Structures are given as C-alpha cells and as structure tokens.
Amino acid sequence: MKYRDFQIGRDLPAVLDGGFLVSGESIVVFAVRDAFTFSFEVPGREVRRKPTGEEGKPRVGAVVKSPLAAGLAVQVADGLVSPKAGVVLTDRRLTVFKLVPADPSLKEPSFMDGLRDLGRTLRGKEEFPAYPMACSTVVEFSSSVAQYQGVHKEKPTNCVKADYHRIAFQDGSVLGLLA
C-alpha cells in the first residue's frame, strides 16, 4: 500500500483520537513541531538551537522559566528535543510524546513520494492515506502538577514578542508554547 507524507497539523488529531487519548479525556492545549527551539530563563541554561523567525526576527517554539535547574518545565522541555515531538495537556495529564512509525517495517515516504502526492492532489485524484504514526510517551505527569493559564505575550531573551500558551507548574516553573 502507498502512503502520503504524515502532516502534523492535518494528521495528528486522528492519531491522538485513535488511542492516545483515554475515553472521555479532553485536550486543553497541545503543541507539536518538527523541531522545537527553546529560550531558557533557568540557572545554567542558554538558548538551545538557533532561534528562527519571519523576516530574520528570531522566535522560539518554547519558553522555559524556572528558579530551579531541574524544574518540571525544564523536564518537559528536555523531553521535546526529539524530532517530531510534542506536548499535550488534557484534563487528566500532561504528556510529552514523540511521533514514531506505527509499523516500523513500512518504508517512510520519500521526498519524491511527496511530489507525487502533490501532483495527484492537484489533478484531483484520490489521496493516499497518511503514513501511519503513533505517539510514544517520553514523560508524563498528572494534570494536578500543571495549570493552563491561557495565551500570554512573552518576549524571550534575544527574541521578538509573540503569543505563547502558558502552562504553570506547582514548583513555580513555567512553560510557554508558541501559539
């Protein structure tokens, strides 16, 4: 069987609903990136990876503030260093996960497969199903340790101001996810 490239924005909701979420669990906020960039306001940490942004103005995917080097927000950020990683806060838990092939024996679509799929779509032909992916849990906490505080404007060190989903932890650390 042929598959098209897995597109995070388009295909992730089906993966989350297809067994990752527990029955009756509802999502408060989630963020997934091919690769996160970080701004740390934590003792002993600096910006990880080079921030990028529109028109040369740097912005980061996650802002981490913690009075402790081993704060809960820092632990979450450390779990987001894998490619295709994400974090989801539900009414029951906060989970850091990475997207992995659901069936490792399948060949992942290549760049040329992606071009073929684009051609099929433009010609109005039936699309192939998305390459099957699954969420592999990296770290998980009870939702009682984290509280969603809405969208806030943040200006990380050496970056432009942007909107971030703010998650506050009971240890005083804060994680901001680019909205």
Side-chain angles (χ1 to χ4, degrees), residues 138-167:
V138 175
V139 66
E140 187 170 275
F141 301 100
S142 163
S143 64
S144 63
V145 303
Q147 178 184 3
Y148 181 64
Q149 296 184 331
V151 176
H152 294 266
K153 289 241 184 252
E154 301 273 351
K155 186 176 182 325
T157 306
N158 299 325
C159 296
V160 295
K161 186 181 281 189
D163 290 334
Y164 289 87
H165 294 282
R166 184 182 291 172
I167 300 172

mmCIF file of all heavy atoms in Angstrom, residues 138-167:
data_model
loop_
_atom_site.group_PDB
_atom_site.id
_atom_site.type_symbol
_atom_site.label_atom_id
_atom_site.label_comp_id
_atom_site.label_asym_id
_atom_site.label_seq_id
_atom_site.Cartn_x
_atom_site.Cartn_y
_atom_site.Cartn_z
ATOM 1 N N VAL A 138 7.159 10.111 26.252
ATOM 2 C CA VAL A 138 8.512 10.372 26.725
ATOM 3 C C VAL A 138 8.483 10.616 28.230
ATOM 4 O O VAL A 138 9.266 10.057 28.976
ATOM 5 C CB VAL A 138 9.131 11.581 25.994
ATOM 6 C CG1 VAL A 138 10.500 11.933 26.553
ATOM 7 C CG2 VAL A 138 9.203 11.315 24.493
ATOM 8 N N VAL A 139 7.578 11.478 28.674
ATOM 9 C CA VAL A 139 7.408 11.777 30.092
ATOM 10 C C VAL A 139 5.949 12.175 30.322
ATOM 11 O O VAL A 139 5.318 12.746 29.430
ATOM 12 C CB VAL A 139 8.396 12.877 30.572
ATOM 13 C CG1 VAL A 139 8.112 14.208 29.930
ATOM 14 C CG2 VAL A 139 8.396 13.015 32.070
ATOM 15 N N GLU A 140 5.433 11.832 31.482
ATOM 16 C CA GLU A 140 4.022 12.119 31.754
ATOM 17 C C GLU A 140 3.851 12.525 33.219
ATOM 18 O O GLU A 140 4.496 11.973 34.109
ATOM 19 C CB GLU A 140 3.182 10.885 31.457
ATOM 20 C CG GLU A 140 1.697 11.106 31.539
ATOM 21 C CD GLU A 140 0.917 9.924 30.994
ATOM 22 O OE1 GLU A 140 0.708 9.881 29.771
ATOM 23 O OE2 GLU A 140 0.556 9.058 31.795
ATOM 24 N N PHE A 141 2.987 13.520 33.437
ATOM 25 C CA PHE A 141 2.667 13.995 34.777
ATOM 26 C C PHE A 141 1.155 14.049 34.931
ATOM 27 O O PHE A 141 0.428 14.222 33.952
ATOM 28 C CB PHE A 141 3.207 15.413 35.008
ATOM 29 C CG PHE A 141 4.687 15.556 34.855
ATOM 30 C CD1 PHE A 141 5.229 16.073 33.689
ATOM 31 C CD2 PHE A 141 5.544 15.189 35.877
ATOM 32 C CE1 PHE A 141 6.595 16.221 33.543
ATOM 33 C CE2 PHE A 141 6.913 15.331 35.737
ATOM 34 C CZ PHE A 141 7.441 15.847 34.577
ATOM 35 N N SER A 142 0.690 13.967 36.151
ATOM 36 C CA SER A 142 -0.728 14.163 36.439
ATOM 37 C C SER A 142 -1.073 15.627 36.145
ATOM 38 O O SER A 142 -0.235 16.517 36.331
ATOM 39 C CB SER A 142 -1.000 13.846 37.912
ATOM 40 O OG SER A 142 -2.227 14.389 38.312
ATOM 41 N N SER A 143 -2.297 15.902 35.726
ATOM 42 C CA SER A 143 -2.682 17.280 35.425
ATOM 43 C C SER A 143 -2.693 18.149 36.680
ATOM 44 O O SER A 143 -2.731 19.370 36.586
ATOM 45 C CB SER A 143 -4.049 17.324 34.747
ATOM 46 O OG SER A 143 -5.041 16.849 35.633
ATOM 47 N N SER A 144 -2.628 17.549 37.860
ATOM 48 C CA SER A 144 -2.629 18.331 39.100
ATOM 49 C C SER A 144 -1.332 19.119 39.285
ATOM 50 O O SER A 144 -1.301 20.068 40.062
ATOM 51 C CB SER A 144 -2.859 17.418 40.308
ATOM 52 O OG SER A 144 -1.800 16.495 40.429
ATOM 53 N N VAL A 145 -0.257 18.771 38.582
ATOM 54 C CA VAL A 145 1.007 19.499 38.717
ATOM 55 C C VAL A 145 1.120 20.662 37.732
ATOM 56 O O VAL A 145 2.031 21.469 37.829
ATOM 57 C CB VAL A 145 2.239 18.586 38.557
ATOM 58 C CG1 VAL A 145 2.218 17.451 39.549
ATOM 59 C CG2 VAL A 145 2.401 18.088 37.150
ATOM 60 N N ALA A 146 0.195 20.754 36.765
ATOM 61 C CA ALA A 146 0.263 21.788 35.739
ATOM 62 C C ALA A 146 -1.091 22.481 35.585
ATOM 63 O O ALA A 146 -2.132 21.844 35.659
ATOM 64 C CB ALA A 146 0.671 21.169 34.401
ATOM 65 N N GLN A 147 -1.036 23.798 35.365
ATOM 66 C CA GLN A 147 -2.259 24.566 35.182
ATOM 67 C C GLN A 147 -2.122 25.438 33.943
ATOM 68 O O GLN A 147 -1.145 26.195 33.803
ATOM 69 C CB GLN A 147 -2.518 25.447 36.398
ATOM 70 C CG GLN A 147 -3.749 26.297 36.258
ATOM 71 C CD GLN A 147 -3.933 27.234 37.450
ATOM 72 O OE1 GLN A 147 -3.104 27.281 38.353
ATOM 73 N NE2 GLN A 147 -5.009 27.982 37.433
ATOM 74 N N TYR A 148 -3.093 25.348 33.042
ATOM 75 C CA TYR A 148 -3.098 26.174 31.834
ATOM 76 C C TYR A 148 -3.549 27.579 32.213
ATOM 77 O O TYR A 148 -4.574 27.757 32.868
ATOM 78 C CB TYR A 148 -4.027 25.571 30.782
ATOM 79 C CG TYR A 148 -4.071 26.369 29.500
ATOM 80 C CD1 TYR A 148 -2.941 26.516 28.710
ATOM 81 C CD2 TYR A 148 -5.247 26.989 29.078
ATOM 82 C CE1 TYR A 148 -2.973 27.232 27.529
ATOM 83 C CE2 TYR A 148 -5.292 27.706 27.899
ATOM 84 C CZ TYR A 148 -4.147 27.828 27.131
ATOM 85 O OH TYR A 148 -4.190 28.544 25.967
ATOM 86 N N GLN A 149 -2.783 28.591 31.811
ATOM 87 C CA GLN A 149 -3.094 29.973 32.163
ATOM 88 C C GLN A 149 -3.477 30.825 30.959
ATOM 89 O O GLN A 149 -3.492 32.044 31.046
ATOM 90 C CB GLN A 149 -1.906 30.607 32.890
ATOM 91 C CG GLN A 149 -1.616 29.943 34.219
ATOM 92 C CD GLN A 149 -0.502 30.632 34.977
ATOM 93 O OE1 GLN A 149 0.401 31.240 34.394
ATOM 94 N NE2 GLN A 149 -0.558 30.533 36.289
ATOM 95 N N GLY A 150 -3.788 30.196 29.833
ATOM 96 C CA GLY A 150 -4.215 30.949 28.660
ATOM 97 C C GLY A 150 -3.055 31.409 27.795
ATOM 98 O O GLY A 150 -1.906 31.023 27.996
ATOM 99 N N VAL A 151 -3.372 32.267 26.832
ATOM 100 C CA VAL A 151 -2.369 32.790 25.906
ATOM 101 C C VAL A 151 -1.859 34.124 26.453
ATOM 102 O O VAL A 151 -2.646 34.991 26.816
ATOM 103 C CB VAL A 151 -2.963 32.971 24.495
ATOM 104 C CG1 VAL A 151 -1.947 33.606 23.559
ATOM 105 C CG2 VAL A 151 -3.424 31.633 23.935
ATOM 106 N N HIS A 152 -0.531 34.250 26.513
ATOM 107 C CA HIS A 152 0.111 35.466 27.019
ATOM 108 C C HIS A 152 1.170 35.916 26.037
ATOM 109 O O HIS A 152 1.784 35.110 25.355
ATOM 110 C CB HIS A 152 0.793 35.194 28.367
ATOM 111 C CG HIS A 152 -0.156 34.876 29.473
ATOM 112 N ND1 HIS A 152 -0.635 35.823 30.329
ATOM 113 C CD2 HIS A 152 -0.739 33.717 29.847
ATOM 114 C CE1 HIS A 152 -1.458 35.263 31.198
ATOM 115 N NE2 HIS A 152 -1.540 33.975 30.918
ATOM 116 N N LYS A 153 1.394 37.221 25.990
ATOM 117 C CA LYS A 153 2.506 37.756 25.200
ATOM 118 C C LYS A 153 3.776 37.559 26.007
ATOM 119 O O LYS A 153 3.828 37.870 27.181
ATOM 120 C CB LYS A 153 2.300 39.244 24.924
ATOM 121 C CG LYS A 153 1.195 39.514 23.936
ATOM 122 C CD LYS A 153 1.771 40.211 22.737
ATOM 123 C CE LYS A 153 0.664 40.583 21.778
ATOM 124 N NZ LYS A 153 0.672 39.776 20.601
ATOM 125 N N GLU A 154 4.788 37.001 25.374
ATOM 126 C CA GLU A 154 6.085 36.776 26.014
ATOM 127 C C GLU A 154 7.165 37.371 25.118
ATOM 128 O O GLU A 154 7.043 37.355 23.894
ATOM 129 C CB GLU A 154 6.373 35.280 26.180
ATOM 130 C CG GLU A 154 5.373 34.519 26.999
ATOM 131 C CD GLU A 154 5.672 34.535 28.493
ATOM 132 O OE1 GLU A 154 6.761 35.004 28.881
ATOM 133 O OE2 GLU A 154 4.811 34.089 29.239
ATOM 134 N N LYS A 155 8.208 37.893 25.719
ATOM 135 C CA LYS A 155 9.376 38.338 24.967
ATOM 136 C C LYS A 155 10.596 37.611 25.505
ATOM 137 O O LYS A 155 11.248 38.068 26.432
ATOM 138 C CB LYS A 155 9.577 39.845 25.072
ATOM 139 C CG LYS A 155 10.726 40.270 24.157
ATOM 140 C CD LYS A 155 10.931 41.726 24.120
ATOM 141 C CE LYS A 155 12.037 42.131 23.184
ATOM 142 N NZ LYS A 155 13.172 41.271 23.055
ATOM 143 N N PRO A 156 10.872 36.427 24.920
ATOM 144 C CA PRO A 156 12.051 35.673 25.354
ATOM 145 C C PRO A 156 13.336 36.460 25.103
ATOM 146 O O PRO A 156 13.382 37.336 24.240
ATOM 147 C CB PRO A 156 12.020 34.422 24.483
ATOM 148 C CG PRO A 156 10.646 34.356 23.937
ATOM 149 C CD PRO A 156 10.142 35.763 23.864
ATOM 150 N N THR A 157 14.362 36.141 25.835
ATOM 151 C CA THR A 157 15.661 36.792 25.687
ATOM 152 C C THR A 157 16.131 36.721 24.234
ATOM 153 O O THR A 157 16.114 35.657 23.618
ATOM 154 C CB THR A 157 16.698 36.101 26.591
ATOM 155 O OG1 THR A 157 16.185 36.078 27.921
ATOM 156 C CG2 THR A 157 18.024 36.839 26.576
ATOM 157 N N ASN A 158 16.534 37.866 23.680
ATOM 158 C CA ASN A 158 17.060 37.981 22.310
ATOM 159 C C ASN A 158 16.067 37.537 21.239
ATOM 160 O O ASN A 158 16.462 37.077 20.172
ATOM 161 C CB ASN A 158 18.359 37.182 22.145
ATOM 162 C CG ASN A 158 19.449 37.681 23.060
ATOM 163 O OD1 ASN A 158 19.543 38.881 23.322
ATOM 164 N ND2 ASN A 158 20.256 36.776 23.573
ATOM 165 N N CYS A 159 14.774 37.630 21.506
ATOM 166 C CA CYS A 159 13.750 37.228 20.535
ATOM 167 C C CYS A 159 12.656 38.294 20.477
ATOM 168 O O CYS A 159 12.581 39.167 21.340
ATOM 169 C CB CYS A 159 13.121 35.896 20.937
ATOM 170 S SG CYS A 159 14.281 34.530 20.929
ATOM 171 N N VAL A 160 11.794 38.192 19.482
ATOM 172 C CA VAL A 160 10.677 39.115 19.380
ATOM 173 C C VAL A 160 9.526 38.640 20.266
ATOM 174 O O VAL A 160 9.431 37.467 20.614
ATOM 175 C CB VAL A 160 10.181 39.250 17.921
ATOM 176 C CG1 VAL A 160 11.246 39.865 17.049
ATOM 177 C CG2 VAL A 160 9.728 37.929 17.358
ATOM 178 N N LYS A 161 8.645 39.566 20.599
ATOM 179 C CA LYS A 161 7.474 39.248 21.405
ATOM 180 C C LYS A 161 6.495 38.434 20.557
ATOM 181 O O LYS A 161 6.299 38.708 19.379
ATOM 182 C CB LYS A 161 6.801 40.541 21.852
ATOM 183 C CG LYS A 161 5.658 40.341 22.820
ATOM 184 C CD LYS A 161 5.015 41.663 23.200
ATOM 185 C CE LYS A 161 5.861 42.349 24.234
ATOM 186 N NZ LYS A 161 5.182 43.527 24.808
ATOM 187 N N ALA A 162 5.905 37.420 21.162
ATOM 188 C CA ALA A 162 4.947 36.559 20.459
ATOM 189 C C ALA A 162 3.934 36.015 21.467
ATOM 190 O O ALA A 162 4.122 36.142 22.683
ATOM 191 C CB ALA A 162 5.673 35.413 19.757
ATOM 192 N N ASP A 163 2.868 35.422 20.961
ATOM 193 C CA ASP A 163 1.851 34.806 21.816
ATOM 194 C C ASP A 163 2.264 33.376 22.156
ATOM 195 O O ASP A 163 2.627 32.600 21.271
ATOM 196 C CB ASP A 163 0.496 34.767 21.107
ATOM 197 C CG ASP A 163 -0.130 36.146 20.951
ATOM 198 O OD1 ASP A 163 0.186 37.031 21.777
ATOM 199 O OD2 ASP A 163 -0.928 36.346 20.023
ATOM 200 N N TYR A 164 2.163 33.047 23.441
ATOM 201 C CA TYR A 164 2.514 31.712 23.925
ATOM 202 C C TYR A 164 1.416 31.179 24.831
ATOM 203 O O TYR A 164 0.848 31.923 25.623
ATOM 204 C CB TYR A 164 3.831 31.736 24.722
ATOM 205 C CG TYR A 164 5.052 31.975 23.868
ATOM 206 C CD1 TYR A 164 5.486 33.251 23.565
ATOM 207 C CD2 TYR A 164 5.772 30.901 23.350
ATOM 208 C CE1 TYR A 164 6.595 33.468 22.767
ATOM 209 C CE2 TYR A 164 6.883 31.102 22.552
ATOM 210 C CZ TYR A 164 7.287 32.389 22.262
ATOM 211 O OH TYR A 164 8.391 32.586 21.463
ATOM 212 N N HIS A 165 1.125 29.881 24.695
ATOM 213 C CA HIS A 165 0.239 29.194 25.633
ATOM 214 C C HIS A 165 1.057 28.971 26.902
ATOM 215 O O HIS A 165 2.090 28.307 26.852
ATOM 216 C CB HIS A 165 -0.221 27.835 25.083
ATOM 217 C CG HIS A 165 -1.087 27.936 23.883
ATOM 218 N ND1 HIS A 165 -2.414 28.274 23.947
ATOM 219 C CD2 HIS A 165 -0.801 27.737 22.567
ATOM 220 C CE1 HIS A 165 -2.931 28.267 22.729
ATOM 221 N NE2 HIS A 165 -1.971 27.956 21.865
ATOM 222 N N ARG A 166 0.598 29.518 28.019
ATOM 223 C CA ARG A 166 1.368 29.414 29.263
ATOM 224 C C ARG A 166 0.839 28.279 30.133
ATOM 225 O O ARG A 166 -0.347 28.210 30.432
ATOM 226 C CB ARG A 166 1.302 30.718 30.043
ATOM 227 C CG ARG A 166 2.168 30.687 31.299
ATOM 228 C CD ARG A 166 2.070 31.951 32.095
ATOM 229 N NE ARG A 166 2.703 33.039 31.378
ATOM 230 C CZ ARG A 166 2.624 34.307 31.773
ATOM 231 N NH1 ARG A 166 1.937 34.624 32.843
ATOM 232 N NH2 ARG A 166 3.226 35.252 31.088
ATOM 233 N N ILE A 167 1.767 27.390 30.535
ATOM 234 C CA ILE A 167 1.458 26.298 31.458
ATOM 235 C C ILE A 167 2.335 26.509 32.691
ATOM 236 O O ILE A 167 3.562 26.533 32.582
ATOM 237 C CB ILE A 167 1.741 24.920 30.827
ATOM 238 C CG1 ILE A 167 0.887 24.725 29.574
ATOM 239 C CG2 ILE A 167 1.468 23.809 31.840
ATOM 240 C CD1 ILE A 167 1.238 23.486 28.769
#
